[in-house]
Amino acid sequence: MALLQIAEPGMSAAPHQHRLAVGIDLGTTNSLVAAVKSGSAVCLPDENGRVTLPSVVRYLSDGQIGIGHEALAEQPTDPLNTVSSAKRLIGRTLADLSQEAHYLPYRFGQSSHVVEINTRHGIKTPIEVSSEILKALKTRAEESLGGQLTGAVITVPAYFDDAQRQATKDAARLAGINVLRLLNEPTAAAIAYGLDNGSEGTFVVYDLGGGTLDVSVLELSKGLFQVKSTNGDSALGGDDFDQRLFCHLLEQLGLSQLNDQDSRLLLSLARRTKEDLTAHEQTLIEAALSDGRQVRATVTRQEFQELTRHLVQKTIEPVKQALKDAGVSKADIKGVIMVGGSTRMPHIQQAVATFFGQTPLNNLNPDQVVALGAAMQADVLAGNKTAGEWLLLDVIPLSLGLETYGGLAEKIIPRNSTIPTARAQDFTTFKDGQTAMTVHVVQGERELVSDCRSLAKFTLRGIPPMAAGAARIRVTFQVDADGLLSVSAQEQSTGVQAQIEVKPSYGLDDDTITQMLKDSMANAAGDMAARARAEAVVEAESLLDAVAAALELDADLLDEAELTAIRSSIAALEGRLKNGTAQDIRAAVSALGASTDNFAAKRMNRNIQRALAGQSIDDI
Ligand code: ADP
Ligand code: MG
């Protein structure tokens, strides 16, 4: 059951054994990579010293891919080919998104089981977009740490369901990253704080990022660090504050029909204004619209806080629910950890402080705390630290169950169960002679299957025919340490076994992923072959030049047969240069080299004789 073992700080392994492992906060808005260096976790900066990488990918017209700051900067001018907030889409379908999709500028594809975005590079899934961000962070880490990564701990919101976790893992696989494990973001934050403080008691992690709110109740006691409950809102974050301010600006400036470019411009101005108002009482907004109109407005912090008060209040509901689920009251909370860039806003700090009647903990950078905790975890999992005294247990966020007769959902593993976990329940047939049974796996808290999320469906066949109610079918649910589920079913009563296992399906099936991996490897192999060929061509051409020059000077040294042999080797090599592989070219180079050995020896002699002519032995 022990999931994570976290060592005391400073107990790292000998430097020569140090394995390069990083923590990656793959955020909706910003992503970061951190590593433990000389015993403490630090975020790794890019070549310009910036640690946050905007989670934005742009597919450029020259075939290149822009990632991060440059992609974000160009988003207003190229919204269709610039994908942001891929995390909101990963592991989901268009049907899951329903309303949300209307606000996004993309040209969505038709697939009903995966979100597809049409870009000028063709169809891209959120998995591929995320993998570009992960690749950029991997490169950054390898350059900064000076070696190949052993693996990474990647964080996900506690709210992520199975499909979203699986999709995140696939994105890492596509980026060539070995996932040591997925870690819930609030848990990572708690690791960063927990190790620093070494405190005991019940803590709340309040994480308000760009796109999501995550609330977790954690308990530290006798060296056991346990997540008691999680709650939140996967569609509430800083973006909503931007949106609110944006709408206000439209009204205030009397702007109605803005084109896409101007909307994007104004939205990014709204975000900047919001961030500015964290430190300033008021801010002046000035912008030039695409039709040349100049707009100008002043927003005060007071105004902004009024406009967004309902959003702030909305974040408190999941806090109450998480406390309720954990069976604790406000008074039991020893500390509140603030995570996510949006917790910088003073009215968020105030609201949380007022609710809990205490000042939240915010001495670590709220943008970085998740990545730092993940890095500490990665360091432990990579084996750089010896097992310490902290034990950390995670929980599943939503109940898992299956459909029973009448469209009802029967819960097998209730939400907030500690993982990894496995539970089995026996079911039976309801018709005489029934030989097959469909197992429909669902996730959610509701009673009716139609209100839950469908994860997978499979049929168990080969049940021996018997009277209704006589067969005993044991269905086992298993959730691994990453929160991923597998389900199996087995007929028990007769000793005849029929069993099937499923991984819950989501957008991309295994074959597709495998194909994508193959494609990327095939390309990589192609690239290497091209380079090897280019090198061989250079070598061949310089040999051909040298032989041609030698023949011009000294062909008279060769008899007819020798000359013919060399000429045919030259012709063979020239032929290979046109369409041979690197290997073919190298073989022909060696053959030409061999056929000219004797010629080279004769020339050497002649040159020596020439050099010696007219000189006495004493001069040498
Ligand atoms: P995510 O976890 O979603 O990737 P982050 O934790 O990086 O997001 O938070 C990003 C959000 O934080 C954005 O909405 C951004 O506007 C907001 N933010 C960053 N700095 C500030 C600030 N100084 N004041 C208010 N909001 C901020
Ligand atoms: Mg975050």
Side-chain angles (χ1 to χ4, degrees):
M1 194 54 111
L3 249 191
L4 311 175
Q5 297 184 306
I6 301 162
E8 289 293 295
M11 289 183 61
S12 49
H16 65 276
Q17 298 174 325
H18 201 88
R19 298 205 187 94
L20 301 181
V22 294
I24 295 178
D25 174 0
L26 182 60
T28 313
T29 322
N30 296 305
S31 297
L32 299 93
V33 58
V36 172
K37 282 173 139 181
S38 326
S40 56
V42 287
C43 286
L44 305 175
D46 65 10
E47 65 277 6
N48 296 311
R50 300 172 296 206
V51 295
T52 50
L53 178 75
S55 306
V56 185
V57 174
R58 178 172 175 224
Y59 297 94
L60 296 146
S61 48
D62 61 0
Q64 304 274 348
I65 296 178
I67 296 160
H69 295 279
E70 51 173 23
L72 179 64
E74 292 304 321
Q75 189 171 32
T77 58
D78 192 17
L80 294 179
N81 299 293
T82 310
V83 186
S84 58
S85 297
K87 193 174 175 179
R88 277 190 186 267
L89 313 175
I90 201 165
R92 306 183 79 190
T93 64
L94 264 190
D96 290 336
L97 296 170
S98 58
Q99 285 301 100
E100 244 174 284
H102 292 303
Y103 297 112
L104 298 167
Y106 315 123
R107 292 166 298 187
F108 289 110
Q110 292 305 308
S111 166
S112 62
H113 60 118
V114 66
V115 175
E116 293 175 335
I117 299 167
N118 279 301
T119 73
R120 61 163 74 88
H121 290 198
I123 285 178
K124 297 292 166 191
T125 65
I127 294 175
E128 289 165 282
V129 175
S130 300
S131 90
E132 295 299 339
I133 296 161
L134 289 170
K135 266 186 229 165
L137 294 175
K138 178 181 185 241
T139 305
R140 182 196 290 189
E142 288 183 338
E143 277 168 9
S144 156
L145 300 172
Q148 280 216 316
L149 291 189
T150 307
V153 167
I154 299 180
T155 58
V156 290
Y159 244 63
F160 259 24
D161 67 17
D162 209 81
Q164 292 164 304
R165 283 166 200 264
Q166 188 73 57
T168 304
K169 273 195 137 178
D170 289 338
R173 251 166 82 194
L174 271 182
I177 294 174
N178 170 34
V179 180
L180 297 169
R181 75 163 288 188
L182 299 178
L183 186 65
N184 284 340
E185 286 158 12
T187 307
I191 291 171
Y193 270 100
L195 286 178
D196 280 1
N197 304 347
S199 332
E200 298 219 334
T202 306
F203 289 80
V204 168
V205 179
Y206 176 102
D207 179 350
L208 190 62
T212 54
L213 168 70
D214 263 294
V215 183
S216 307
V217 177
L218 310 166
E219 194 175 275
L220 265 101
S221 67
K222 301 185 204 86
L224 191 74
F225 203 96
Q226 191 174 5
V227 183
K228 300 294 281 184
S229 70
T230 67
N231 210 291
D233 190 333
S234 55
L236 178 60
D239 294 347
D240 301 283
F241 289 73
D242 305 346
Q243 194 69 40
R244 186 67 202 91
L245 187 54
F246 167 79
C247 292
H248 169 74
L249 289 173
L250 285 187
E251 249 174 71
Q252 196 186 340
L253 296 168
L255 301 168
S256 47
Q257 284 153 334
L258 280 191
N259 62 30
D260 282 356
Q261 187 183 337
D262 287 340
S263 290
R264 289 252 143 200
L265 174 73
L266 209 61
L267 190 59
S268 67
L269 271 176
R271 177 195 284 203
R272 221 183 302 149
T273 305
K274 171 195 75 175
E275 294 177 1
D276 223 45
L277 290 172
T278 290
H280 303 100
E281 286 297 334
Q282 70 171 50
T283 280
L284 176 68
I285 300 168
E286 281 179 302
L289 300 182
S290 55
D291 62 4
R293 266 186 297 169
Q294 233 8 75
V295 294
R296 219 177 130 88
T298 303
V299 184
T300 66
R301 182 190 286 168
Q302 174 91 27
E303 252 177 298
F304 173 64
Q305 294 190 345
E306 291 302 330
L307 284 170
T308 54
R309 195 159 301 282
H310 66 289
L311 293 172
V312 176
Q313 275 319 307
K314 203 174 163 195
T315 72
I316 299 298
E317 281 314 308
V319 176
K320 291 183 184 160
Q321 196 55 47
L323 292 178
K324 199 168 153 203
D325 288 348
V328 295
S329 71
K330 286 193 269 192
D332 300 325
I333 304 304
K334 182 131 181 233
V336 183
I337 299 170
M338 298 298 260
V339 181
S342 299
T343 62
R344 288 216 169 86
M345 289 186 284
H347 60 329
I348 288 284
Q349 293 274 343
Q350 269 159 26
V352 174
T354 306
F355 179 78
F356 284 102
Q358 61 175 296
T359 311
L361 296 169
N362 50 16
N363 52 307
L364 290 179
N365 184 327
D367 300 327
Q368 298 184 5
V369 59
V370 166
L372 296 175
M376 292 175 185
Q377 190 55 43
D379 199 41
V380 173
L381 293 177
N384 293 327
K385 287 193 171 181
T386 49
E389 53 179 305
W390 296 102
L391 211 56
L392 209 141
L393 304 171
D394 253 339
V395 297
I396 58 159
L398 295 168
S399 300
L400 296 166
L402 48 76
E403 176 172 355
T404 58
Y405 190 61
L408 295 176
E410 171 79 16
K411 294 189 180 73
I412 308 284
I413 303 182
R415 67 190 296 260
N416 290 331
S417 298
T418 312
I419 56 170
T421 185
R423 289 206 198 164
Q425 194 158 321
D426 287 350
F427 292 87
T428 189
T429 47
F430 76 100
K431 260 195 203 150
D432 286 342
Q434 185 177 341
T435 57
M437 180 183 198
T438 296
V439 178
H440 182 197
V441 184
V442 296
Q443 180 170 42
E445 306 315 308
R446 309 281 292 274
E447 294 302 319
L448 290 178
V449 163
S450 52
D451 294 328
C452 293
R453 182 184 167 103
S454 169
L455 289 181
K457 226 178 219 181
F458 67 92
T459 304
L460 173 70
R461 292 180 202 283
I463 302 171
M466 52 187 118
R472 224 171 81 230
I473 291 131
R474 174 158 298 175
V475 179
T476 308
F477 278 54
Q478 195 164 354
V479 181
D480 71 12
D482 295 323
L484 296 175
L485 168 75
S486 59
V487 180
S488 61
Q490 192 173 48
E491 205 291 313
Q492 308 257 304
S493 65
T494 57
V496 178
Q497 291 205 346
Q499 187 169 329
I500 189 164
E501 296 219 2
V502 285
K503 273 262 174 203
S505 60
Y506 71 99
L508 300 182
D509 56 30
D510 253 16
D511 288 350
T512 314
I513 286 283
T514 310
Q515 190 54 47
M516 287 163 112
L517 279 172
K518 268 197 199 138
D519 288 350
S520 70
M521 276 184 313
N523 284 338
D527 292 348
M528 265 166 61
R531 204 176 63 216
R533 192 177 190 283
E535 284 167 5
V537 167
V538 170
E539 196 183 331
E541 283 173 345
S542 76
L543 179 62
L544 285 171
D545 286 349
V547 173
L551 285 176
E552 194 149 307
L553 290 174
D554 299 317
D556 61 303
L557 287 171
L558 300 168
D559 60 31
E560 203 53 42
E562 285 173 321
L563 201 55
T564 311
I566 291 175
R567 291 240 150 89
S568 86
S569 294
I570 289 174
L573 178 53
E574 282 170 343
R576 292 293 184 232
L577 276 184
K578 285 199 195 89
N579 46 23
T581 64
Q583 227 172 353
D584 296 340
I585 296 171
R586 285 196 194 286
V589 164
S590 313
L592 177 58
S595 72
T596 56
D597 271 356
N598 198 34
F599 181 37
K602 286 183 174 169
R603 291 191 68 216
M604 182 95 77
N605 286 341
R606 173 177 276 181
N607 286 340
I608 289 170
Q609 280 162 11
R610 273 184 194 147
L612 291 179
Q615 294 182 40
S616 77
I617 296 294
D618 292 344
D619 292 337
I620 304 173

